[in-house]
Amino acid sequence: MDPKPIITFLLLISATVIAAQEYVRPPPRKALHFPWSRKPSSHPQQVHISLAGDKHMRVTWITYDKSAPSIVEYGTSSGKYSSVAQGESTSYSYLLYRSGKIHHTVIGPLEHGTVYFYQCGGQDPEFQFKTPPAQFPITFAVAGDMGQTGWTKSTLDHIEQCKYDLHLLPGDLSYADYMQSRWDTFGELVQPLASARPWMVTQGNHEKENIPLLKDGFASYNSRWKMPYEESGSSSNLYYSFEVAGVHAIMLGSYTDYDEYSDQYRWLKADLSKVDRQKTPWLVALFHVPWYNSNKAHQGEGDSMMAAMEPLLYAASVDIVLAGHVHAYERTWKIRYMRRCPHNHW
């Protein structure tokens, strides 16, 4: 059998210091300050992109002009847009907060490994992105639990210096925690990177934002960060899959039902059954709460999800599992190897 092609993961953990003998967690950094700046109501803000099926990209942005069109003009030359796509829009309210008009427009088909220039809603400025390659090698940047502090800025600066094809984010984006304006500042903070490379995200505990009897959870997250769940046969934006350059990636939801009677469990089982390891030899899974965790914090929080879903991932020979939540770097032994060799110890 030919050796499996190589993929690269750039794991960026905010607040990491390596000492000679032990990990020393550095102190928290202050929250970032976002000075208010007036922009025209039709000005596209919080622009980010995500994969939307084979050779397609979803462009998302916000305007405060309710009549602004959900169109994206794009092409391979700056200022020359040979194609245009019409999308959809949504908005939401959260207690006294009212969001802007949230536009979601899918563009394509696009060529692999190609730079595209685009404008949102017929308005300046011009943005550009590069599509992922058609085949190996491919590089992923992986960073979750982002927030909006000095450590966030440091992490984003590190990512910007890397050559990567797309960003994987296993939960906890804005840390808005019910303060809806912080979703807006987060969108502006990540726009320089998220408008230039696809950001594929899944939810964490800080995205729940549910208010019993008043507001269902994930309203903000689902409205702002639409992922290709429909394209992957899922009924929920909280779990989905996508394929890119020989990798089948599964994004699972730690905070939606996952037992064997749940929609997520049935979807995962069906999705795994469709994986073609000749086409996508790498099988990767992401979710927020780690199933194995030696940190003092968050002990046991992933146990019930692990009990339900690990047998499916194990049977499918998933290669890599990535999680967030504990704000520290840790990796396990190969789980399949350990189970085949029960006399080995951690």
Side-chain angles (χ1 to χ4, degrees), residues 263-277:
D263 288 341
Q264 181 175 199
Y265 182 95
R266 287 190 290 269
W267 170 83
L268 174 60
K269 190 173 182 179
D271 188 75
L272 289 171
S273 71
K274 300 173 186 176
V275 175
D276 181 353
R277 298 304 282 263

Side-chain angles (χ1 to χ4, degrees), residues 140-343:
F140 298 91
V142 185
D145 300 85
M146 297 295 291
Q148 301 178 58
T149 71
W151 287 119
T152 312
K153 179 66 165 57
S154 173
T155 299
L156 293 174
D157 288 345
H158 277 88
I159 295 173
E160 190 171 23
Q161 295 171 21
C162 299
K163 292 183 178 180
Y164 67 101
D165 299 298
L166 67 159
H167 184 133
L168 303 178
L169 201 163
D172 282 0
L173 284 71
S174 69
Y175 281 66
D177 292 327
Y178 303 93
M179 298 175 60
Q180 294 305 297
S181 62
R182 291 188 61 76
W183 278 106
D184 296 314
T185 53
F186 179 77
E188 290 297 303
L189 175 64
V190 303
Q191 175 180 285
L193 273 67
S195 63
R197 294 291 186 275
W199 276 41
M200 308 307 293
V201 309
T202 188
Q203 91 282 176
N205 52 300
H206 288 277
E207 276 74 64
K208 288 192 289 187
E209 297 186 312
N210 62 304
I211 303 175
L213 304 179
L214 291 178
K215 198 69 182 176
D216 292 335
F218 305 109
S220 313
Y221 170 81
N222 286 333
S223 297
R224 295 170 181 268
W225 290 84
K226 185 175 182 180
M227 293 291 112
Y229 72 95
E230 295 168 314
E231 292 87 342
S232 64
S234 168
S235 61
S236 171
N237 192 50
L238 302 179
Y239 50 89
Y240 63 94
S241 66
F242 64 91
E243 293 188 347
V244 58
V247 179
H248 186 97
I250 300 168
M251 311 292 280
L252 298 176
S254 294
Y255 296 96
T256 187
D257 291 342
Y258 43 68
D259 63 54
E260 61 181 321
Y261 305 105
S262 67
D263 288 341
Q264 181 175 199
Y265 182 95
R266 287 190 290 269
W267 170 83
L268 174 60
K269 190 173 182 179
D271 188 75
L272 289 171
S273 71
K274 300 173 186 176
V275 175
D276 181 353
R277 298 304 282 263
Q278 296 299 314
K279 178 183 177 184
T280 54
W282 282 94
L283 183 53
V284 179
L286 282 86
F287 42 85
H288 187 60
V289 180
W291 293 349
Y292 296 90
N293 169 28
S294 68
N295 287 269
K296 293 180 180 179
H298 304 302
Q299 279 297 317
E301 292 182 18
D303 287 357
S304 56
M305 186 182 185
M306 178 174 68
M309 290 188 159
E310 189 183 44
L312 295 180
L313 301 191
Y314 179 80
S317 298
V318 168
D319 297 293
I320 299 172
V321 172
L322 298 163
H325 203 39
V326 298
H327 298 203
Y329 175 78
E330 181 176 36
R331 62 182 178 180
T332 67
W333 289 88
K334 296 179 180 179
I335 301 303
R336 291 198 302 274
Y337 172 79
M338 292 300 293
R339 288 187 173 177
R340 289 169 182 162
C341 305
H343 298 295

Side-chain angles (χ1 to χ4, degrees), residues 127-140:
F127 299 91
Q128 69 180 71
F129 65 80
K130 185 177 181 181
T131 53
Q135 57 190 8
F136 299 109
I138 185 169
T139 300
F140 298 91

